[in-house]
């Protein structure tokens, strides 16, 4: 998946959890996550959920919310 598309998809998933955060900040965060080779190798939604695991309620992490 092209980097721009990966970042956009990851940012969209991050927005599902942090609805009040500025979308530009979420794009920056997604771009930072893309620099992590382990996360970049994942689907962007999986990468966002993996990164969010420490702060997500366990039900949300399992459901992909």
């Amino acid at each position: 998946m092209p980097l721009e598309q990966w970042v956009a998809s990851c940012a969209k998933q991050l927005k599902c959890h942090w609805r009040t955060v500025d979308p530009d900040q979420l794009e920056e965060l997604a771009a930072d996550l893309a620099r992590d080779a382990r996360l970049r190798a994942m689907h962007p939604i999986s990468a966002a959920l993996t990164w969010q695991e420490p702060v997500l309620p366990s039900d949300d992490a399992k459901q992909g919310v």
Side-chain angles (χ1 to χ4, degrees), residues 1 5 14-15 17-18 21 25 29 39 46-47 49 51 54-55:
M1 177 181 298
Q5 185 179 358
L14 293 169
K15 181 109 176 115
H17 183 69
W18 290 304
V21 176
Q25 288 181 312
L29 173 55
L39 294 175
S46 297
L49 291 171
W51 185 81
V55 296

Side-chain angles (χ1 to χ4, degrees), residues 14-62:
L14 293 169
K15 181 109 176 115
C16 289
H17 183 69
W18 290 304
R19 293 182 175 103
T20 59
V21 176
D22 184 316
D24 290 338
Q25 288 181 312
L26 294 175
E27 288 274 340
E28 288 177 30
L29 173 55
D32 287 345
L33 297 181
R35 290 186 194 103
D36 181 319
R38 182 181 64 89
L39 294 175
R40 181 66 173 99
M42 297 178 184
H43 187 278
I45 293 172
S46 297
L49 291 171
T50 298
W51 185 81
Q52 291 175 304
E53 273 182 8
V55 296
L56 285 179
S58 61
D59 289 344
D60 286 353
K62 290 176 189 169

